[in-house]
Amino acid sequence: MRRITVFLAAALTLSAMAGCGKQPEATTSTEAPAAEAAAEQTQDEIIAELKSAIAAAPAYKSVTINENTTSTYTSEEIVNANGGPEVIQQDSVYEFDASGDQLKTHLTGSTNGVTLEYYSDGDNAVFVSDGSVYSGTTEQFELAHFKGADAYLTDTFGDLNTLVDCASTVSKEQVGDTASYQLTLDPRKYMDADEALLALEKSGNPIKNAQLTIYFDADGHIAGLKKHYEFPEAINDITDSLSDFDATTVEAMPEATKTFEELEADREIKFHELFDGLEELNDDAEETEAE
């Protein structure tokens, strides 16, 4: 079982190096001395108010998103070195700046101690790792955030109006200047509205439970999103906090020292080095258990 665990961690790290797949509980500024009781509203009234708030959210040219993702694997086949659930933690900071002629982005992410960094300027992008700067295009790196903040949030959380339509219950809380809406999603409606979730259901991993919280600041911006969803053998939590609206700037990309093709070659070398090292660690662990 440990062999499965360390190989899983290695695969996640190495796939992130190439930029494949989505990026992976930051604190949203929602605290105040005391919660203010909202007037009694019906579910339909809260949903209508929420949809209006989503539609009226102010547009912005730049923003910073702090993201925290925690994935807990509850399967008995995927455990950590101590025999408990494997937990993969990822903290990321996304910076978006579309105030100029073309979109610029900057991502710094850390997954279980491994740090990754990307820059983009229009269609051009670089990946920074171990002192090397690999050049490429946003299409080659295949990261959702290269299309902008709105596209990234939709890719991560889904279309908000669609998710509201999937809610079985919804409630509202006002804390200081922040209004939050908590939605419990109907698993059947949620899966039917999401092709990826339908594919997981067909493979034997239907979603069992899902909640979404949407936070609005005093200016009406969507200031935070929080999603909790459970599968038969995994629990995922994602929290995004948005700040510095129209005040985020992205510095120029560092000069590349290697090509995307060299990244693929380096990744292959690192994979084999890591694989060999993990094999040795697993053999040592198995020998210790035998003793």
Side-chain angles (χ1 to χ4, degrees):
M1 289 189 287
R2 290 178 180 169
R3 186 183 302 274
I4 294 175
T5 300
V6 290
F7 289 170
L8 172 66
L12 288 171
T13 300
L14 290 162
S15 65
M17 284 182 58
C20 299
K22 285 199 297 190
Q23 288 286 354
E25 184 168 313
T27 300
T28 308
S29 356
T30 60
E31 295 184 352
E36 301 171 6
E40 192 68 28
Q41 294 175 290
T42 66
Q43 293 282 287
D44 288 344
E45 288 173 336
I46 297 175
I47 289 173
E49 179 181 290
L50 173 55
K51 286 194 171 185
S52 294
I54 292 171
Y60 47 83
K61 290 291 187 179
S62 67
V63 68
T64 297
I65 300 176
N66 284 271
E67 180 175 279
N68 174 271
T69 300
T70 302
S71 299
T72 304
Y73 296 90
T74 56
S75 168
E76 293 182 356
E77 296 300 316
I78 303 177
V79 298
N80 61 27
N82 297 318
E86 179 68 55
V87 178
I88 296 179
Q89 187 84 23
Q90 180 169 309
D91 296 295
S92 305
V93 178
Y94 295 85
E95 295 173 311
F96 300 88
D97 184 1
S99 61
D101 295 335
Q102 54 190 13
L103 173 66
K104 294 181 180 180
T105 72
H106 177 220
L107 160 63
T108 303
S110 177
T111 305
N112 285 21
V114 178
T115 299
L116 307 170
E117 188 173 18
Y118 292 88
Y119 291 83
S120 74
D121 189 341
D123 295 329
N124 298 314
V126 297
F127 167 57
V128 183
S129 176
D130 294 336
S132 297
V133 181
Y134 298 90
S135 65
T137 65
T138 55
E139 184 177 357
Q140 285 176 310
F141 287 115
E142 297 181 322
L143 295 180
H145 78 277
F146 286 142
K147 295 180 180 179
D150 288 344
Y152 176 70
L153 292 172
T154 299
D155 186 75
T156 303
F157 293 91
D159 176 77
L160 294 185
N161 283 303
T162 299
L163 291 172
V164 173
D165 290 336
C166 293
S168 57
T169 63
V170 57
S171 61
K172 177 188 176 183
E173 184 178 15
Q174 186 76 37
V175 182
D177 291 331
T178 301
S180 63
Y181 296 83
Q182 299 84 35
L183 293 79
T184 297
L185 306 182
D186 180 279
R188 182 68 270 154
K189 290 182 180 179
Y190 189 21
M191 287 187 287
D192 287 342
D194 190 301
E195 291 182 2
L197 291 178
L198 279 177
L200 285 174
E201 181 187 25
K202 290 179 181 178
S203 68
N205 291 289
I207 198 162
K208 300 193 305 178
N209 182 25
Q211 288 92 38
L212 174 73
T213 304
I214 307 173
Y215 301 90
F216 292 88
D217 66 15
D219 297 320
H221 292 112
I222 295 176
L225 292 163
K226 181 178 180 180
K227 183 166 70 171
H228 170 86
Y229 49 121
E230 300 176 12
F231 297 91
E233 297 183 343
I235 299 172
N236 294 290
D237 290 280
I238 303 175
T239 300
D240 279 13
S241 300
L242 287 71
S243 62
D244 295 332
F245 296 97
D246 289 323
T248 297
T249 58
V250 175
E251 61 186 59
M253 292 193 304
E255 186 174 349
T257 59
K258 291 187 176 183
T259 65
F260 185 82
E261 291 69 27
E262 288 176 296
L263 168 60
E264 293 182 315
D266 289 351
R267 181 178 58 138
E268 188 71 19
I269 293 171
K270 290 186 178 184
F271 176 82
H272 286 296
E273 289 176 349
L274 185 57
F275 185 88
D276 292 341
L278 293 174
E279 279 276 38
E280 185 177 342
L281 286 173
N282 274 308
D283 291 341
D284 291 343
E286 288 169 2
E287 289 175 5
T288 301
E289 288 178 348
E291 295 173 357

